Amino acid sequence: MKQAFFSEPLIFELGGRGRIGELIEDVKVEIPKELMREELNLPELSQIEVVRHFTRLSQMNWGVDLGPYPLGSCTMKYNPRINEDLAWLDEVQWLHPLQNEVQGILELMYKLEKILASITGMDRFTFQPAAGASGELTGCLIIRKYHKDRGENRDEIIVPDSAHGTNPASAAMAGFKIIEVRTNEEGQIDIEELKSAVGNRTAGLMMTNPNTLGIFEKQAKEISEIIHDAGGLMYYDGANLQGIIGFARPGDFGFDIVHLNLHKTFSTPHGGGGPGSGPVGVKKFLEEYLPIPIVDFNGEKYYLKWDLKKTIGKIKDWYGNIPVLVRAYAYLLSMGKEGLKLSCKAAVVNTNYFMKKVSKIKGITIPFGNSYRKHEVVISVENMAKETGVTAMDVAKALLDRGLHAPTIYFPLIVKEALMFEFTDTETKENIDKYIEALKEISELAYSNPELIKNAPINTSVSRLDEVYANHPKTMCLSYRMLKYKQ
Ligand SMILES: *Cc1c(COP(=O)(O)O)cnc(C)c1O
């Protein structure tokens, strides 16, 4: 059934001369002659052809509305529809950024900031950064300016080897040299190695907690003391906040700067490349470094505050991606403190239930010990690969064949043949069980008839793609060659 989708023609190959979807009569449009085209080779289709075409395309797609989307490191949870409706209110959509005195939206930003501050233990936030990576760059530029203003020449940022790739990339963009520290056997930063990496050139340390293995870095406080004693600042990558939200605050275990990913933890759909938001929060002593303007309240009126003496300037035009803020605010109000704690617990229970079950499957191991995980877990099929030739990639493809979206694979880089699962708080036990059963079946086949797995997927619109070819700028082609249509 699914195979048939792909053999359907492209929209340019459909239709025929003179077919139309709608009759528009008596419309006179005056187009200057020099702008007129001789001909325009667009496909001509009837309404039903257009409707069927786009309906078919929508069914070839996968989304969290269809089933689990367990991409570790992404927190692809279900986003309540009500938040979507609020973000699309005319009052939000038709606001122009130059209407900078509108009280409603400023109040929303101010109050959202207060909630995020209480969740993270920070004092002030900027909403300008467009995503997590943009927040990291903002944070690194603040770290750079802070040291410069103090007349200190610090050009090194310490990043653990379990970090998301954006961490070293953002620090490098801000002009820092990256010093990598190793993860120890418990899946946490190796303190001894950290101590030897720290020095008078240390500008700061970037840390994700829980880290990308889903493990809580218990020594975060001790680490922040080491960094602070050396004169550096602590940066918290908040992409994994789901794992501790409501229970622990980065501000309490020594962090000076945090970013949050509103499109991960706080109810904005992502994965389709839509606008994100990576607000950056700082402790009081760094407030003056934030991008301008920030939102303030003078007791009567909300307003944009521009006079931050040490500001790094602007990181993005205007004030940030506003509809994302509306969703986050609505989500936070609807969840409340207890709701957020419950979401954290549900995510953690889901992860550990899954980990416990799959750890018994032949060929699957849980690297870095069996200690409890937070919101996500990384499993390894290194043994399966050695014994049967079936790799993490093959397992992921075989999951697709069973109607299940694959997890993140080959990340973090410190785990060989890694599959990184994050079911989030919104997934059901029944669906998690489907994954467990599928992994069992895949393992059995890997050890009995590996070719079946190596040839997966066969039930999807397309089978194995050449991923290098598809990503190469010279071969990637995202548009139809119109000339062909011309004949
Ligand atoms: C997603 C993620 C980032 C980057 O955030 P974007 O919003 O995608 O730019 C950084 N660190 C971790 C751990 C992440 O999971």
Side-chain angles (χ1 to χ4, degrees):
M1 177 62 195
K2 276 204 166 166
Q3 286 284 12
F5 284 135
F6 200 63
S7 56
E8 290 289 333
L10 300 174
I11 198 159
F12 300 99
E13 295 155 355
L14 290 169
R17 289 274 176 241
R19 279 191 215 172
I20 47 171
E22 209 169 341
L23 266 182
I24 305 172
E25 290 181 66
D26 297 332
V27 181
K28 283 208 181 70
V29 190
E30 299 279 333
I31 300 174
K33 252 217 159 67
E34 65 275 18
L35 295 180
M36 296 277 275
R37 298 189 207 205
E38 301 266 299
E39 56 179 329
L40 182 58
N41 287 306
L42 289 180
E44 295 171 54
L45 300 113
S46 63
Q47 256 189 39
I48 185 69
E49 287 178 288
V50 175
V51 169
R52 283 181 184 154
H53 176 73
F54 285 106
T55 304
R56 193 173 59 247
L57 286 186
S58 76
Q59 290 176 354
M60 285 170 72
N61 214 340
W62 182 266
V64 78
D65 292 351
L66 275 170
Y69 211 132
L71 283 189
S73 206
C74 290
T75 311
M76 302 288 275
K77 53 163 96 179
Y78 169 72
N79 306 295
R81 283 299 180 278
I82 179 85
N83 304 335
E84 198 59 38
D85 288 349
L86 294 169
W88 283 93
L89 286 177
D90 281 353
E91 287 82 347
V92 177
Q93 292 298 323
W94 291 98
L95 258 184
H96 191 281
L98 282 175
Q99 293 172 287
N100 54 19
E101 295 270 300
V102 173
Q103 290 298 291
I105 199 70
L106 292 179
E107 181 180 353
L108 183 145
M109 292 168 80
Y110 185 83
K111 290 186 169 168
L112 175 60
E113 176 176 347
K114 286 269 179 280
I115 301 175
L116 297 182
S118 78
I119 288 173
T120 56
M122 292 291 133
D123 295 308
R124 290 308 315 255
F125 271 84
T126 171
F127 289 115
Q128 261 178 48
S134 170
E136 292 166 22
L137 178 65
T138 308
C140 288
L141 292 173
I142 291 174
I143 294 174
R144 189 172 82 172
K145 188 134 198 293
Y146 170 80
H147 292 305
K148 201 166 166 232
D149 285 356
R150 292 156 56 94
E152 295 201 11
N153 185 15
R154 292 172 178 268
D155 58 356
E156 294 178 355
I157 292 267
I158 301 173
V159 182
D161 60 4
S162 62
H164 194 270
T166 49
N167 287 190
S170 305
M173 267 183 89
F176 290 109
K177 208 172 115 194
I178 314 302
I179 309 293
E180 192 176 272
V181 290
R182 247 183 328 159
T183 298
N184 67 19
E185 277 158 22
E186 280 94 55
Q188 309 197 22
I189 293 178
D190 188 320
I191 294 267
E192 290 316 309
E193 193 175 312
L194 176 70
K195 281 182 184 156
S196 62
V198 169
N200 59 8
R201 305 203 71 104
T202 303
L205 176 137
M206 296 176 89
M207 188 171 164
T208 312
N209 198 12
N211 63 29
T212 60
L213 297 165
I215 296 174
F216 187 74
E217 301 265 3
K218 292 201 188 82
Q219 310 161 104
K221 198 149 190 187
E222 189 184 342
I223 290 170
S224 69
E225 278 159 18
I226 295 170
I227 297 296
H228 285 149
D229 287 348
L233 296 178
M234 288 288 287
Y235 182 93
Y236 180 83
D237 176 335
N240 292 350
L241 190 74
Q242 181 66 50
I244 57 168
I245 192 165
F247 290 94
R249 310 192 313 165
D252 298 337
F253 42 83
F255 287 89
D256 307 299
I257 310 174
V258 312
H259 86 247
L260 301 176
N261 303 58
L262 298 189
H263 47 284
K264 293 183 180 173
T265 326
F266 299 114
S267 189
T268 277
H270 63 124
S277 174
V280 167
V282 295
K283 286 272 175 74
K284 188 86 190 145
F285 75 101
L286 292 173
E287 176 179 345
E288 295 280 318
Y289 289 91
L290 286 174
I292 44 172
I294 56 174
V295 180
D296 226 329
F297 182 59
N298 63 15
E300 274 173 28
K301 240 180 111 183
Y302 297 96
Y303 65 100
L304 294 170
K305 183 174 172 184
W306 291 87
D307 57 336
L308 298 182
K309 305 274 175 313
K310 299 170 177 170
T311 179
I312 59 164
K314 277 180 100 42
I315 200 80
K316 187 183 178 300
D317 50 353
W318 306 113
Y319 326 113
N321 287 324
I322 300 295
V324 186
L325 309 186
V326 176
R327 288 192 199 93
Y329 187 60
Y331 177 76
L332 286 164
L333 288 188
S334 65
M335 294 293 278
K337 195 173 171 198
E338 289 310 310
L340 286 179
K341 286 174 100 165
L342 200 59
S343 88
C344 177
K345 279 190 203 167
V348 173
V349 167
N350 279 350
T351 308
N352 287 289
Y353 170 73
F354 174 78
M355 177 172 88
K356 191 104 195 159
K357 293 271 183 174
V358 296
S359 65
K360 301 193 181 100
I361 298 176
K362 191 172 177 191
I364 293 181
T365 54
I366 313 292
F368 298 104
N370 275 356
S371 66
Y372 284 123
R373 298 303 195 265
K374 295 294 177 204
H375 62 299
E376 68 193 2
V377 61
V378 181
I379 70 174
S380 168
V381 293
E382 191 182 359
N383 291 349
M384 192 184 292
K386 277 188 192 141
E387 289 155 14
T388 72
V390 168
T391 63
M393 170 74 88
D394 299 328
V395 173
K397 300 289 186 194
L399 284 171
L400 300 183
D401 254 350
R402 286 152 181 80
L404 300 169
H405 195 286
T408 300
I409 55 173
Y410 297 111
F411 179 74
L413 302 178
I414 53 174
V415 174
K416 289 200 179 117
E417 299 299 333
L419 292 123
M420 184 190 207
F421 287 89
E422 178 180 7
F423 286 103
T424 81
D425 51 312
T426 59
E427 210 43 74
T428 62
K429 176 177 176 296
E430 290 80 1
N431 277 336
I432 298 172
D433 285 337
K434 276 189 202 160
Y435 275 84
I436 296 165
E437 288 311 312
L439 287 169
K440 264 188 208 157
E441 191 205 333
I442 291 166
S443 159
E444 277 159 22
L445 285 174
Y447 283 93
S448 60
N449 193 354
E451 283 314 302
L452 279 182
I453 304 298
K454 294 211 73 74
N455 289 328
I458 52 168
N459 297 322
T460 49
S461 306
V462 289
S463 52
R464 283 222 191 184
L465 297 168
D466 182 331
E467 278 143 22
V468 179
Y469 186 83
N471 278 301
H472 196 285
K474 280 204 177 133
T475 50
M476 186 165 61
C477 176
L478 297 177
S479 62
Y480 186 77
R481 303 241 177 269
M482 296 296 283
L483 280 178
K484 259 192 199 160
Y485 185 74
K486 208 170 170 183
Q487 289 154 12

